[in-house]
Amino acid sequence: MVCIKHANIQIQTMILLYFRHAWQLLKQNPFYSIIYILGTGLSISLIMVIAILFYIRTANIYPETKRDRMLFARHTVANTERSRGTSNLSLETAKTCFSNLSTAEAVTIVYSNTKNIFAQPDYSKEQVPVEVRYTDVDFWKVFDFKFIQGGPFTEADLQSGIRNIVVSESFAKKMTGTTEAVGKTVSLDFENYNICGVVKDVSYIMVRSYGTVWMPYSLVPETEQWWNREEFQGLLGPFDVYLVAPSVKDKKKVKQEAEEILNRFGNSLTDVKFTLNIDNQLETYFRESADYDINFTIILLQYILLIIVLLLIPAVSLTGLTDSFMDKRIAEIGIRRSFGASRYVLVKQLITENLVFTLLGGLMGLILSYLIMIATRQWIIHIGFNTQYSSSVPEGTDVLLSTGMLMNIPIFLAALLFCILFNLLAVGLPAWRTAGREIINSLYIR
């Protein structure tokens, strides 16, 4: 036990010496240090933007804090001998297939897209743009909204079409001058609605839950009539279904039960073939239609290749600079080898010392990625895979980026991992070549 403790102290002391030496080298070679740190920072910043976007779209973030337990029924195909229809679900189909799931913790039926309307404040003739999301009452069980005042509309409101709505705190302030707006009336498209609840603002990035105003889907004029064509037997419509499993492990049970119900439902139909996929959070982003097969192997390889390119190109560019910097230390390395230092020990020292430069560059890259995300937040969310956002951010909408979206343990760990990989790519080969020189040749180099 004493020997192990002593060995740990020696290792810690050695690593500390490496870092002190690296700090001295940084001060002695400012040109190399600046170029290397800048090159590393630019490379890491581009990769971290990709990592942050992926995290925002897949992690549990307010109010979509159950993403890891959620399943989505969205893409539908109905085929007949004469035609083919692709869309979302009709309200009747959604209720028939998903209302009685026994394994799910919660099921919500949601109008697939937000609707752009205008509010008319009492204090001005200005038309205030509003993003309305139409939902059922279980929507508030699936998503964890933080109510500042009041609560959601009720089942009675949904069935009766009573105009009770939930609004965001920023909309409440704009329309009433306060977040304590429950019981007050607002005008939307020149019709009066009663505020029953006020919630904390939701970022536009949260594509499943975002809205300025939330109201019962019974208030949508197209609810019962949309795309009710005879050849599709009323199967298609404008609704999505979101399912929440009691736990991550229970997702398979929920999906299995839902697919069994869908199979029975499909078999009961005549003259039409009905296809609907039940996807998890990641699958639903990549799926373009119900009959589109997702090849995650190819998708994964594409992203790995992109990251390798973003790491490799600047790393190769910096390898020449690193090689030149290593040549200045050949005599020092030759002396250490003459005193018994192995090639492995020297390579480890050189890589560890250079890790200081890489970590500084990584820190700069991480900060730069935050600045890029903040400065370009209005359009950068459209970059990447099937984002499901509209082609442009709605008028008057500011894309909110919370601290938790940018600063969190997975992002920090990703940044550290990419720094280590970059360090190995940029320094590994020059360090191995330099440490492998013959001792006699190294000692004679001035």
Side-chain angles (χ1 to χ4, degrees):
M1 193 72 180
V2 175
C3 292
I4 294 174
K5 186 176 181 180
H6 182 67
N8 289 336
I9 292 173
Q10 283 186 322
I11 293 171
Q12 292 173 5
T13 303
M14 183 174 62
I15 292 174
L16 184 61
L17 288 173
Y18 287 167
F19 276 91
R20 284 179 178 174
H21 192 198
W23 184 252
Q24 292 301 319
L25 290 173
L26 190 150
K27 292 191 292 185
Q28 292 171 12
N29 300 274
F31 176 76
Y32 168 79
S33 303
I34 292 172
I35 296 298
Y36 189 90
I37 290 171
L38 285 175
T40 303
L42 292 173
S43 175
I44 295 297
S45 67
L46 295 176
I47 296 172
M48 290 313 300
V49 167
I50 296 173
I52 291 169
L53 284 172
F54 184 82
Y55 177 84
I56 288 173
R57 290 167 179 166
T58 57
N60 294 337
I61 300 173
Y62 170 83
E64 300 178 16
T65 56
K66 301 173 184 175
R67 282 174 167 178
D68 58 341
R69 295 192 281 137
M70 290 185 69
L71 294 167
F72 305 87
R74 302 184 62 252
H75 298 289
T76 309
V77 174
N79 288 313
T80 68
E81 292 182 358
R82 295 179 298 170
S83 59
R84 177 179 184 272
T86 60
S87 183
N88 305 88
L89 292 163
S90 69
L91 181 59
E92 182 180 353
T93 305
K95 287 181 176 180
T96 301
C97 295
F98 298 102
S99 292
N100 297 313
L101 284 177
S102 60
T103 54
E105 178 183 295
V107 177
T108 182
I109 300 173
V110 183
Y111 197 77
S112 58
N113 297 310
T114 56
K115 186 176 181 181
N116 299 317
I117 64 174
F118 288 91
Q120 296 75 42
D122 294 333
Y123 58 84
S124 171
K125 293 182 180 180
E126 174 193 10
Q127 297 285 308
V128 178
V130 176
E131 289 281 305
V132 177
R133 184 170 295 278
Y134 299 95
T135 76
D136 63 6
V137 294
D138 290 322
F139 178 81
W140 310 102
K141 298 177 183 177
V142 171
F143 298 108
D144 292 327
F145 284 84
K146 295 179 181 176
F147 276 86
I148 297 171
Q149 188 187 24
F153 46 80
T154 65
E155 183 66 28
D157 297 335
L158 175 67
Q159 297 301 326
S160 304
I162 297 175
R163 294 182 179 180
N164 284 338
I165 61 173
V166 176
V167 302
S168 66
E169 60 177 325
S170 59
F171 179 76
K173 285 180 181 178
K174 185 176 290 187
M175 295 297 291
T176 68
T178 178
T179 57
E180 297 181 357
V182 171
K184 295 186 178 181
T185 300
V186 293
S187 174
L188 304 175
D189 276 356
F190 301 99
E191 294 184 346
N192 290 330
Y193 291 80
N194 180 60
I195 298 175
C196 64
V198 180
V199 296
K200 180 182 175 182
D201 285 350
V202 177
S203 174
Y204 177 72
I205 300 175
M206 299 295 104
V207 66
R208 311 284 179 217
S209 55
Y210 169 76
T212 311
V213 172
W214 297 261
M215 64 176 66
Y217 62 63
S218 54
L219 297 177
V220 182
E222 308 97 317
T223 297
E224 299 298 339
Q225 294 81 24
W226 194 89
W227 205 342
N228 190 17
R229 294 166 61 180
E230 290 183 3
E231 61 263 42
F232 298 131
Q233 299 182 19
L235 297 172
L236 305 181
F239 289 93
D240 294 337
V241 179
Y242 305 154
L243 318 172
V244 177
S247 67
V248 176
K249 293 181 180 179
D250 290 325
K251 281 171 68 175
K252 288 184 178 180
K253 294 180 182 178
V254 175
K255 184 174 182 177
Q256 183 178 0
E257 183 189 4
E259 288 177 342
E260 288 174 357
I261 293 174
L262 287 171
N263 287 333
R264 290 197 298 269
F265 178 74
N267 293 333
S268 69
L269 300 173
T270 57
D271 301 325
V272 61
K273 183 181 178 182
F274 176 71
T275 305
L276 173 65
N277 295 101
I278 309 295
D279 294 327
N280 60 31
Q281 177 71 19
L282 193 58
E283 290 170 338
T284 193
Y285 270 115
F286 285 109
R287 189 178 299 281
E288 296 177 3
S289 64
D291 51 0
Y292 174 80
D293 292 327
I294 304 172
N295 191 328
F296 275 108
T297 302
I298 293 178
I299 292 170
L300 182 62
L301 288 175
Q302 288 174 341
Y303 277 88
I304 290 175
L305 180 62
L306 176 61
I307 290 173
I308 289 174
V309 169
L310 290 175
L311 282 174
L312 195 58
I313 291 177
V316 170
S317 301
L318 290 174
T319 296
L321 182 65
T322 305
D323 204 30
S324 175
F325 177 67
M326 293 288 181
D327 285 342
K328 297 179 181 179
R329 302 182 61 188
I330 289 177
E332 171 200 338
I333 291 170
I335 293 172
R336 290 205 59 196
R337 289 201 67 189
S338 67
F339 279 93
S342 68
R343 189 178 190 179
Y344 168 76
V345 169
L346 291 172
V347 169
K348 184 175 70 172
Q349 177 187 344
L350 292 171
I351 290 176
T352 304
E353 289 175 354
N354 213 80
L355 185 60
V356 173
F357 301 151
T358 307
L359 290 176
L360 288 173
L363 178 61
M364 187 194 84
L366 187 61
I367 294 172
L368 184 59
S369 69
Y370 291 159
L371 295 176
I372 292 172
M373 288 296 300
I374 293 170
T376 63
R377 64 188 184 278
Q378 296 295 109
W379 58 266
I380 200 168
I381 57 174
H382 301 284
I383 294 177
F385 48 80
N386 183 19
T387 62
Q388 299 174 27
Y389 301 105
S390 59
S391 57
S392 61
V393 177
E395 180 186 353
T397 301
D398 184 22
V399 178
L400 303 175
L401 292 175
S402 66
T403 303
M405 292 180 186
L406 303 178
M407 299 182 182
N408 52 75
I409 292 176
I411 293 299
F412 292 151
L413 291 177
L416 179 61
L417 173 63
F418 292 134
C419 283
I420 293 172
L421 288 175
F422 187 91
N423 188 55
L424 290 173
L425 289 171
V427 185
L429 184 61
W432 182 259
R433 187 188 67 81
T434 303
R437 285 177 177 268
E438 293 293 333
I439 297 175
I440 190 70
N441 294 332
S442 299
L443 292 174
Y444 271 98
I445 291 180
R446 302 293 180 189

